[in-house]
Amino acid sequence: MSEGPDLIVAGAGGGLAGALRAAELGLSVLVVEASEHYRRGNNTSMSTAMFPGAGSRWQAEAGVHDSPERFVADIMAKTKGRADPRLARTLAEVGAPLVEWLADAVGLPLSLVTDFNYPGHAVPRCHSIPGRHGSGVIDHLARKVAEHPAIDMLVPARLTDVRTDAGGAVNAAVVRYPDGTEEEIPTRAVLLATNGFGADRELVAEHLPEISDALYHGSDQSLGDALRIGGRLGAATGFLDAYQGHGAVAAGAGTLVGWATIIHGAVLVDTLGRRFGDETRGYSEYAAELAARPGSTGWIVLDEKIYEQCQAFQDFRDTVESGVLVWADDAAGLAKATGLPADALADELDGAAAIARGERPDPFGRTNWERPLEPRYAAVRVVPALFHTQGGLLVDEHAAVVDGADRPIPGLYAAGGAAAGVSGHGAAGYLPGNGLLPAFGLAYLAAGDVAGRTP
């Protein structure tokens, strides 16, 4: 790489997939990653490894009828029509080719998740690996990258700037090492895969005030690097108020309880022992709703069957192993174990069971009840969290960063949280898997575009 790599990738989350795709297409690649602990510290590694793929072969084998058009419709319904239509279409179309490439070319052991369906997806379309945890994805990709002769890595090092020539095309990247020294590395293309700005408290307070006081449950390297780099080059930005929150991080453990508990029939009550909404609308919007409750905390109540059903998730098993679940034979015992008001909790659990049996409608409009909860009960105290931001640099259908006039900045690309996603505004538009899809899908598309433009 004496003349510089064909592509420099900043960020070793979904950026690793972009690097592998670029190398597969004949490019030389350099990955620059700020954290030496990226295999456990970035947002991909903290995810539940869900990749939406509308029209995949696994869906066909399972008899699930899906299409990119149906996925776009779901995105638009969840965002109330406020998602970027071009990007929604782009990501919906790349999802199935992406998951099949990850399985066939990269060797990820993906399969379709059919034991439950996340809120907002009309049909099962999320694909995951055994254990359903992103650390397994990152470990696998890191091994593949280390084995590839066309890919080099600089770790730890931070990409701090991108240089352009007189015509505005990318011609170099500036890399800073931990000792403060800097190096300018020539290249024709840079992919910014540095995630968003969730770890920058000032930016979060400016753009996401409703969640700014909540726990941040993401990479400490998500500092808004892409916004600053892109801003200096005239890049357009959008949807900076969008984010993925979560209402189910275990207090005292910091582990993810997971919304599969809710989908299987669990309920979420506040410190008054009362439900306060339709939990199945989505875990992202429930972060801000939980943050607004007394004490900014609550309890997820489940039972033994749900406990067994959620063992497929490594995150849930980690929560169990942390010892934060409490058990009781009945509502009175659960109230004593949790400190919740006994009468209110018993009334809420009785009411939820009646609703789940179809005996009366839910006052909050919840219609998704897999079955009524039955003793023996378990409960875990949860706090709201910000997982990652969903706004950033605007990109076109090739993942190329565009300026204010929607013109691509030659050689500059963005993926994942570095780019604006398809969650519309706020937290309510987030669909499960729509964090990893832009991270991996845009990186995949960027690699293809760079290869198509490389002599």
Side-chain angles (χ1 to χ4, degrees):
M1 294 188 183
S2 59
E3 297 182 358
D6 296 315
L7 171 66
I8 294 179
V9 178
L16 294 180
L20 288 167
R21 176 61 172 167
E24 178 183 68
L25 296 173
L27 302 180
S28 58
V29 186
L30 174 65
V31 179
V32 180
E33 168 55 46
S35 173
E36 60 185 329
H37 305 295
Y38 71 91
R39 288 173 67 162
R40 290 298 177 269
N42 70 27
N43 280 44
T44 296
S45 72
M46 298 178 188
S47 75
T48 52
M50 294 289 171
F51 296 90
S56 76
R57 66 170 182 259
W58 293 278
Q59 287 182 309
E61 291 167 1
V64 175
H65 300 289
D66 197 12
S67 66
E69 293 74 22
R70 192 173 193 182
F71 190 9
V72 170
D74 287 348
I75 292 171
M76 289 304 176
K78 194 70 165 66
T79 63
K80 301 188 186 306
R82 298 189 295 175
D84 180 327
R86 176 174 64 186
L87 190 57
R89 183 177 62 254
T90 296
L91 291 175
E93 290 175 350
V94 80
L98 172 69
V99 294
E100 293 181 5
W101 173 79
L102 286 170
D104 298 339
V106 182
L108 274 179
L110 291 169
S111 61
L112 182 67
V113 176
T114 57
D115 53 328
F116 73 100
N117 199 30
Y118 276 118
H121 288 291
V123 296
R125 65 167 63 98
C126 285
H127 304 71
S128 192
I129 63 172
R132 300 177 184 178
H133 198 273
S135 60
V137 174
I138 286 292
D139 286 345
H140 185 90
L141 294 178
R143 287 193 296 270
K144 290 291 185 179
V145 164
E147 295 168 358
H148 206 295
I151 306 175
D152 288 336
M153 288 192 72
L154 287 178
V155 184
R158 182 181 295 275
L159 192 149
T160 60
D161 210 352
V162 173
R163 306 287 193 223
T164 57
D165 61 21
V170 168
N171 64 5
V174 178
V175 174
R176 180 179 299 154
Y177 298 99
D179 63 2
T181 60
E182 291 188 342
E183 179 182 8
E184 187 171 294
I185 303 174
T187 186
R188 290 188 295 273
V190 170
L191 169 60
L192 298 174
T194 54
N195 207 267
F197 57 87
D200 187 312
R201 304 312 296 175
E202 291 185 3
L203 286 174
V204 170
E206 177 184 355
H207 298 293
L208 313 172
E210 67 176 352
I211 201 69
S212 60
D213 292 330
L215 170 72
Y216 173 58
H217 197 271
S219 169
D220 61 2
Q221 300 299 321
S222 299
L223 295 167
D225 289 354
L227 288 178
R228 286 183 280 272
I229 293 169
R232 290 192 288 270
L233 299 178
T237 62
F239 303 97
L240 295 180
D241 62 336
Y243 67 96
Q244 186 216 330
H246 212 297
V249 172
T255 54
L256 182 62
V257 179
W259 219 242
T261 55
I262 297 294
I263 304 307
H264 284 311
V267 296
L268 178 55
V269 299
D270 61 16
T271 55
L272 304 178
R274 296 292 185 182
R275 291 177 57 232
F276 49 93
D278 173 9
E279 301 94 331
T280 63
R281 287 190 298 111
Y283 53 73
S284 182
E285 53 265 55
Y286 243 68
E289 295 186 25
L290 182 58
R293 305 307 295 175
S296 297
T297 190
W299 291 81
I300 289 179
V301 181
L302 58 147
D303 61 14
E304 288 185 303
K305 183 171 182 179
I306 295 173
Y307 175 89
E308 293 300 330
Q309 288 173 308
C310 291
Q311 293 297 316
F313 290 86
Q314 182 63 50
D315 281 320
F316 184 78
R317 297 199 300 270
D318 290 343
T319 299
V320 172
E321 291 173 8
S322 74
V324 294
L325 263 72
V326 296
W327 289 89
D329 292 330
D330 53 28
L334 192 65
K336 184 176 181 180
T338 59
L340 295 171
D343 290 344
L345 181 62
D347 181 61
E348 205 64 59
L349 292 179
D350 287 344
I355 295 166
R357 290 192 295 267
E359 296 171 4
R360 59 183 175 180
D362 180 23
F364 300 109
R366 176 171 173 173
T367 58
N368 183 349
W369 298 89
E370 192 167 295
R371 60 176 185 81
L373 290 175
E374 299 176 350
R376 181 171 176 242
Y377 298 118
V380 56
R381 190 166 71 86
V382 292
V383 295
L386 167 64
F387 271 31
H388 54 82
T389 54
Q390 284 279 294
L393 306 179
L394 295 182
V395 300
D396 66 11
E397 65 273 20
H398 306 294
V401 176
V402 298
D403 64 16
D406 200 37
R407 298 171 301 198
I409 298 173
L412 186 64
Y413 300 83
V422 289
S423 295
H425 296 280
Y430 183 81
L431 268 173
N434 280 5
L436 284 186
L437 181 57
F440 283 68
L442 291 176
Y444 177 89
L445 290 170
D449 198 61
V450 175
R453 296 173 183 273
T454 299

